[in-house]
Structure formats: C-alpha cells, structure tokens
C-alpha cells in the first residue's frame, strides 16, 4: 500500500536492486512466500521526472523487517524475561528462569508454571496469569491486536527477542562498510550519452 501511494503521488519509483528488469511485485511475492527471509531489500529512485543526468536525481535503499516468525522459530518455548545485563553487555546470554522472580501485579510468574508455553500461544492479555488461566484470548503472538495496549512481561519479552532475531541480518547489511548499491547502479548511462551514442550509430549507418 505504501509503495502504491508513493507511486501515485509520484514521489519516486521502486526496483529490485539485484535485477531491475524484474517488477517489484515479484520481489514482494517472493518475500511473502519465503518466511525464512528476515528482511526485504528495495531500491528507490526519487523524483518522477528528469533523466539519469539530472543533478537532483537521487536513489536510496529501503530495508524492511517485518514482525513475523520464521518457520524454524515457530516452536520456541517461552524464554526468560530480558535483563539489563543481557541487553547491555551479553546479548547471547540467556538467564535461567529459575533465577528470575518476575511476577506481575497479581503475584503470578508464568515462567514458574508446570505447563510449558510456546511463544506463538501468547495472546493479548493484561497480565501473565491470563496466558494460562483461561483468558489467553484474541490473535496470537506476534500479531496481537493493537487494541490491547497492555503488554504482559511474557509478551514483551517475546516481542523483543523476535525483533532481535529478525533484525540481525538487516543491521549487518545497513552497517557494512560496502555501499548498498549494486555494481550496475553506478553504470547507469545518462540519457544524453545514450542519445549521442545512437546519433553516432545512425551516422555510421548513413555513411
């Protein structure tokens, strides 16, 4: 929808950086069907009018990370709540649930229950006890309804961990030293250069 609006307003056009001959809708379909892909890479050519030699011609690269679960992560059990140490110093260090005393206002800890929950079983609730006591209602993680603005500790932790997993590759791409541009992008000929080449070819044919 965003792409359609941008094109309608003539803000710019979109292309597949790997192969600009392909319609961008093909790229979107592939990303939608392959849930193992953690990000979508689109090229943007700003300004609707003007040739390749226009001084205001600008291009950009859009990296999209969606809030979706790859197939290999669908069966992950509910993980421990995030800690300051894990966030600030050791992102790969997971604290054991037995060492946590993370309870909601009703003095309930979902991590200390015998019933093992998977993250995809989490619904929109107001506190952790709802997840296992019959009130785990509505759309399930990670597509919990925006109408519920109360994130339980379990739901918040799962969303944070999913965001970390899904954004790792995208962060590596946008922070690398090399340019995001593909090699062909720096060799796009100016329109007047193409016109001069055509005139030269026509002159040779005429002679």
């Amino acid at each position: 929808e965003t792409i359609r609006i941008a094109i309608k307003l003539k803000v710019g056009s979109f292309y597949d950086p790997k192969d600009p001959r392909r319609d961008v809708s093909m790229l979107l379909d592939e990303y939608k069907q392959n849930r193992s892909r953690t990000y979508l890479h689109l090229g943007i050519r700003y300004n609707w009018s003007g040739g390749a030699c226009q001084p205001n011609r600008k291009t950009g690269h859009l990296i999209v990370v969606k809030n979706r679960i790859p197939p290999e992560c669908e069966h992950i059990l509910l993980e421990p709540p995030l800690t300051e140490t894990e966030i600030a110093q050791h992102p790969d260090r997971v604290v054991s649930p037995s060492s946590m005393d993370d309870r909601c206002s009703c003095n309930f800890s979902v991590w200390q229950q015998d019933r093992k929950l998977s993250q995809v079983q989490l619904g929109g609730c107001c506190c952790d006890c709802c997840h296992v006591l019959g009130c785990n209602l509505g759309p399930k993680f990670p597509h919990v309804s925006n109408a519920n603005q109360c994130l339980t500790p379990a739901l918040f932790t799962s969303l944070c961990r999913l965001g970390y997993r899904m954004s790792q590759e995208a962060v590596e791409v946008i922070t690398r030293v090399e340019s995001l541009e593909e090699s062909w992008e720096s060799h796009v000929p100016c329109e007047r250069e193409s016109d001069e080449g055509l005139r030269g070819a026509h002159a040779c044919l005429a002679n």
Side-chain angles (χ1 to χ4, degrees):
E1 181 67 16
T2 302
I3 291 178
R4 186 187 65 79
I5 293 174
I7 294 175
K8 182 178 180 180
L9 296 176
K10 297 185 177 181
V11 174
S13 56
F14 298 81
Y15 59 90
D16 181 351
K18 297 294 185 183
D19 187 351
R21 296 169 298 181
R22 303 175 71 223
D23 189 275
V24 71
S25 61
M26 299 170 65
L27 189 62
L28 294 172
D29 285 343
E30 289 176 358
Y31 176 70
K32 181 179 180 180
Q33 294 168 8
N34 185 359
R35 290 172 50 224
S36 293
R37 291 181 58 178
T38 58
Y39 69 92
L40 172 67
H41 184 184
L42 295 174
I44 308 174
R45 198 266 195 194
Y46 296 101
N47 297 322
W48 196 259
S49 59
C53 292
Q54 294 295 320
N56 62 345
R57 182 186 69 89
K58 295 181 180 179
T59 58
H61 289 261
L62 178 65
I63 305 295
V64 180
V65 178
K66 287 188 65 68
N67 196 24
R68 64 179 187 175
I69 301 178
E72 58 271 21
C73 296
E74 287 182 344
H75 304 294
I76 292 180
L77 294 178
L78 184 60
E79 296 175 279
L82 293 168
T83 65
E84 182 178 353
T85 300
E86 185 179 358
I87 295 172
Q89 300 177 10
H90 305 288
D92 298 322
R93 178 183 173 187
V94 177
V95 180
S96 170
S98 60
S99 66
M100 304 300 300
D101 188 20
D102 196 297
R103 297 174 181 271
C104 62
S105 58
C106 57
N107 199 35
F108 180 91
S109 177
V110 71
W111 287 276
Q112 296 178 3
Q113 302 305 301
D114 293 333
R115 177 186 173 187
K116 299 300 182 182
L117 284 175
S118 65
Q119 58 181 1
V120 295
Q121 292 177 297
L122 298 176
C125 308
C126 59
C127 56
D128 276 343
C129 61
C130 300
H131 292 307
V132 294
L133 298 182
C135 297
N136 194 46
L137 306 175
K140 298 301 185 283
F141 175 86
H143 305 296
V144 179
S145 172
N146 291 334
N148 186 346
Q149 297 296 306
C150 301
L151 293 179
T152 67
L155 190 55
F156 177 80
T157 289
S158 297
L159 286 170
C160 289
R161 294 190 184 281
L162 176 63
Y164 178 77
R165 289 190 176 100
M166 294 301 293
S167 62
Q168 277 184 306
E169 289 185 344
V171 170
E172 291 175 0
V173 168
I174 63 178
T175 57
R176 68 188 185 190
V177 177
E178 299 82 5
S179 171
L180 288 174
E181 283 193 346
E182 295 294 328
S183 57
W184 66 266
E185 295 189 69
S186 60
H187 298 290
V188 175
C190 292
E191 288 185 353
R192 62 170 175 265
E193 291 177 353
S194 300
D195 292 342
E196 290 173 358
L198 287 173
R199 284 197 298 271
H202 292 159
C204 290
L205 290 173
N207 293 333

